[in-house]
Amino acid sequence: MLNISGLKEGIVLDHIPAGKSMDIYRYMGLGELDCQVAIIKNARSKKLGRKDIIKIEGGLDVIDLDVIGFIDPDITVNIIKDERIAEKKRLKLPKKLTNVIKCKNPRCITSIEQELPHVFLLSDEKTQTYRCMYCEEKYK
Ligand SMILES: [Zn+2]
C-alpha cells in the first residue's frame, strides 16, 4: 500500500526504476517549481526490488505525462485528491516530444535557429528510438 500521508492534493509517481528519480526531477524542471517535492530513493518494491517514488504537492496542472512516459512508460502516476488516490494514469511512449530533449547535431537547423522548438518523433517503439524532426538525428 502506497503511503501518501501528508499529501492532500498532488501527484505520486510510483514504480520509478531505482536511480531514475533524478532524471525525472531534471526533465520535469521540478527544481524550478514552488510546490513541495519529496523524493524517496531505493524504496523496497515487490515488483522491482528497489524503486524510487516522487511526491509532488499540487502540481496537477504542471505535470507533463509525456515527459514521464518518455523516461519510463511503466511508471505509475497516482493523482491524489482529499488524501486519497483519485485516479491512476496509464502512460505510454509519447509519439512526439517538444522541448524535452535537444538535438545535438551541430548542423541541425535547431542549433542555428535558436528560437525553434526542439521536436523529436518516436521512430521505433520497440527500441524506444527518437529522431529529431528536422534532421532525423537519433537521440541517445
Ligand atoms: Zn536535429
Side-chain angles (χ1 to χ4, degrees):
M1 184 63 193
L2 185 61
N3 179 17
I4 54 158
S5 64
L7 198 60
K8 239 189 150 72
E9 196 175 278
I11 297 152
V12 177
L13 305 176
D14 196 12
H15 303 118
I16 302 168
K20 283 217 173 172
S21 55
M22 288 318 286
D23 287 350
I24 294 178
Y25 188 85
R26 208 176 59 235
Y27 277 116
M28 290 181 63
L30 292 178
E32 288 140 48
L33 301 178
D34 285 333
C35 49
Q36 220 181 104
V37 178
I39 296 176
I40 297 140
K41 293 175 90 169
N42 293 320
R44 274 173 231 288
S45 162
K46 279 198 190 105
K47 213 164 94 186
L48 303 170
R50 298 266 165 181
K51 65 176 180 180
D52 290 355
I53 301 166
I54 299 181
K55 299 182 190 184
I56 306 161
E57 196 189 310
L60 293 170
D61 44 346
V62 293
I63 198 154
D64 187 341
L65 294 176
D66 281 352
V67 176
I68 305 164
F70 164 67
I71 292 165
D72 193 322
D74 292 327
I75 293 169
T76 312
V77 179
N78 301 286
I79 309 289
I80 312 298
K81 279 177 186 160
D82 297 322
E83 296 177 45
R84 290 180 26 243
I85 297 172
E87 197 185 342
K88 276 181 190 277
K89 290 210 184 272
R90 284 182 177 275
L91 298 174
K92 49 181 191 251
L93 273 182
K95 297 262 181 280
K96 185 176 168 186
L97 285 169
T98 304
N99 288 330
V100 177
I101 47 179
K102 289 195 166 177
C103 183
K104 292 195 178 104
N105 176 5
R107 285 178 302 276
C108 179
I109 188 154
T110 55
S111 49
I112 302 153
E113 311 251 337
Q114 304 281 328
E115 70 284 357
L116 272 180
H118 286 252
V119 182
F120 277 76
L121 302 173
L122 181 62
S123 71
D124 189 340
E125 200 161 340
K126 270 205 190 101
T127 56
Q128 304 195 2
T129 305
Y130 283 87
R131 287 181 188 276
C132 174
M133 185 180 84
Y134 308 98
C135 70
E136 302 211 322
E137 174 97 337
K138 200 167 144 184
Y139 179 78
K140 293 174 214 82

